[in-house]
Amino acid sequence: MHGVQVHLINDNKATDWQQNKTIQHINGEVFLYFPEFDQYIERNIQKAARKIENMGVEQVTLAGDDWQESYQWAFAQGFSSVTKSNNIHFTGEPELINKLANKLKTYAWAKRLTNQTAAEQSPEILVASVFEYVKALSPEYVSMNVIKGEALNENGWVGVYNVGKASQHEPCLAEIDFNPSGNSDAPVDVCLVGKGITFDTGGYSIKSNDGMFNMKCDMGGVAVVAAALAYAMQQGLTKRVKLILCCAENMISGSAYKVSDILTYKNGVTCEVANTDAEGRLVLADGLLLASEYSPNMIIDAATLTGAAMLATGGDYTALMSLDNVASEQALVAAKAEGEPLWPLPLAPWHQEKCPSAFADTANSRTQKGGGMGGASNAAGFLSRFVPNEGKGWLHFDLAAAYNGSANSLWAAGATGMSIATIANLLLNNK
């Protein structure tokens, strides 16, 4: 055994002052006492694990017969922190232990990636880090193509180019191909599109210092979709998946894009820039257009996109938006199976009209703070202009619960990895 043994019980072991405590210390072991294993048991286990981690416990071994998979994972989520991510020894059959250990390592990788500072991570470094990680899982079947800098503009990828052109670090649009068939003509089952803004000043629509403080995490969408692909590969993914990374640093300089600029996308849609801090949707539009070229069965994008989604969900849920009710229901089923909170927000075709422009087909936002009412749905409405087949098979994950600036009762400070398992589930079970 390694470290402190932690037991999960619903029959009280303590007879002293600890009798009514959730966390009980008996003979050098820890017992988590819950009279009932109710619908909130996983949340309560995660909170208990946070308390144990805050006690300075370095390693734990989960012991006993009541640790089903979801309970073990809930404990792992709470016990993990910036400096402590692989110090949990799981219990059960070897197959389960291996699955949970791989899952924890994958989440730890995604969290470390998201927690890195902008000084450590440029768009090119982010792309290289993701490619190295995914390729190591299947060297024979993973390849990459990258377009960067001026070549983006020359090839019509105006969103990524304009958002990133003010930075000394070149913007990149990267396409990582996992093709386990080895056949270059094999159809693409799913395209994953991730927002990778390695730092977001807000551009000329500049953020406050407080609003800018955590913007190293604005590449969290890339971390989530990359880790989802990696986790699905570890579980035996056999279908072809394209991972599209839309990476830029949203900075200010004489060459920066400006409010009232008009961008013309490859599908002919013109967009007036109403707010340079609504940059995520501009880069994702390029990624969605690239994904559409492969006619996949499903397109999933993930992004730390709007404060409006955080206001709507309290930062406890990932917000889901889709024009495809069947795909949306599949995502909700996947999230429930993985124990990850996911909440649908409204999206209809007419949300495309919610960011009007007098000079272009659309604006990228409104000039009101936060984009005005319904900001999360309006952003998704903008994105819906860049997906095929009237949105069939498209899912938009607004990662409202992706990052915490400070620790709370459930999470350590930093990235959470929320929705990695849900998206991996969709990759494995897409029909």
Side-chain angles (χ1 to χ4, degrees):
M1 293 293 181
H2 302 273
V4 175
Q5 289 194 45
V6 180
H7 302 260
L8 182 64
I9 58 172
N10 60 7
D11 56 329
N12 203 341
K13 301 290 185 184
T15 57
D16 53 15
W17 60 271
Q18 302 182 87
Q19 190 164 7
N20 295 317
K21 300 289 186 181
T22 297
I23 302 174
Q24 302 176 358
H25 299 265
I26 304 173
N27 298 325
E29 299 180 350
V30 174
F31 293 81
L32 302 186
Y33 168 57
F34 298 100
E36 295 182 17
F37 292 177
D38 60 18
Q39 61 179 320
Y40 300 112
I41 183 65
E42 286 90 354
R43 183 179 177 87
N44 290 328
I45 289 172
Q46 186 170 340
K47 291 173 70 174
R50 281 288 329 123
K51 291 179 180 178
I52 293 171
E53 197 276 330
N54 284 329
M55 293 174 185
V57 175
E58 291 298 323
Q59 292 194 52
V60 298
T61 293
L62 305 183
D65 297 327
D66 291 319
W67 284 108
Q68 67 181 50
E69 180 177 347
S70 65
Y71 299 167
Q72 294 191 63
W73 183 244
F75 187 95
Q77 293 284 72
F79 191 72
S80 300
S81 68
V82 173
T83 58
K84 186 185 301 174
S85 58
N86 292 318
N87 294 14
I88 304 165
H89 300 271
F90 297 106
T91 188
E93 295 297 323
E95 183 179 357
L96 175 59
I97 292 173
N98 185 61
K99 178 184 177 183
L100 286 167
N102 283 335
K103 186 177 184 180
L104 187 60
K105 289 176 183 176
T106 303
Y107 271 67
W109 173 80
K111 290 178 183 181
R112 286 195 302 272
L113 196 69
T114 306
N115 292 338
Q116 286 183 337
T117 68
E120 298 171 293
Q121 187 162 252
S122 67
E124 285 189 82
I125 291 174
L126 175 58
V127 165
S129 297
V130 171
F131 179 60
E132 180 182 13
Y133 183 72
V134 175
K135 187 173 179 63
L137 297 173
S138 184
E140 185 179 354
Y141 298 122
V142 175
S143 60
M144 180 171 71
N145 180 57
V146 182
I147 304 173
K148 63 181 181 179
E150 290 296 328
L152 289 164
N153 196 40
E154 293 166 4
N155 286 275
W157 303 115
V158 296
V160 177
Y161 173 74
N162 278 277
V163 170
K165 68 180 181 178
S167 173
Q168 63 178 320
H169 303 296
E170 290 186 316
C172 302
L173 182 63
E175 178 186 325
I176 296 174
D177 185 9
F178 171 62
N179 186 5
S181 72
N183 177 6
S184 60
D185 295 324
V188 176
D189 186 53
V190 179
C191 281
L192 300 175
V193 182
K195 173 188 171 185
I197 303 298
T198 55
F199 193 74
D200 183 17
T201 66
Y204 277 109
S205 305
I206 192 168
K207 295 177 181 288
S208 65
N209 185 73
D210 182 59
M212 205 183 298
F213 186 72
N214 292 321
M215 283 301 101
K216 65 182 182 181
C217 81
D218 213 18
M219 38 59 64
V222 160
V224 165
V225 291
L229 174 58
Y231 184 45
M233 288 167 64
Q234 291 168 9
Q235 295 182 84
L237 180 66
T238 58
K239 296 178 180 178
R240 188 176 187 180
V241 174
K242 293 270 190 178
L243 179 62
I244 298 170
L245 313 180
C246 310
C247 301
E249 196 174 47
N250 188 19
M251 303 295 282
I252 300 171
S253 77
S255 62
Y257 79 122
K258 304 171 184 69
V259 171
S260 81
D261 283 355
I262 293 179
L263 312 182
T264 302
Y265 282 90
K266 292 187 78 167
N267 64 344
V269 170
T270 56
C271 170
E272 182 179 20
V273 178
N275 188 334
T276 62
D277 195 24
E279 85 298 329
R281 64 202 73 180
L282 295 178
V283 302
L284 284 176
D286 279 340
L288 293 171
L289 286 172
L290 178 55
S292 301
E293 292 181 3
Y294 297 103
S295 301
N297 294 319
M298 181 174 279
I299 298 174
I300 302 171
D301 77 72
T304 48
L305 201 65
T306 67
M310 296 181 68
L311 288 172
T313 67
D316 295 310
Y317 291 78
T318 294
L320 171 70
M321 280 152 278
S322 179
L323 294 170
D324 184 335
N325 291 334
V326 173
S328 181
E329 183 59 31
Q330 186 181 351
L332 292 169
V333 169
K336 184 175 182 180
E338 300 297 339
E340 292 190 320
L342 183 66
W343 196 263
L345 292 182
L347 182 62
W350 43 261
H351 277 103
Q352 289 188 2
E353 305 162 13
K354 288 291 188 174
C355 296
S357 167
F359 302 98
D361 296 325
T362 184
N364 70 326
S365 185
R366 293 185 171 187
T367 54
Q368 298 101 311
K369 183 178 180 181
M373 293 187 294
S377 297
N378 297 345
F382 174 88
L383 294 178
S384 72
R385 292 175 176 270
F386 303 94
V387 294
N389 304 321
E390 299 181 329
K392 180 176 174 57
W394 169 57
L395 295 169
H396 167 55
F397 285 72
D398 194 329
L399 302 173
Y403 189 89
N404 295 302
S406 58
N408 58 37
S409 63
L410 285 171
W411 302 97
T416 65
M418 188 82 78
S419 294
I420 291 172
T422 297
I423 296 174
N425 184 301
L426 288 167
L427 293 179
L428 292 163
N429 297 298
N430 182 42
K431 304 300 184 185

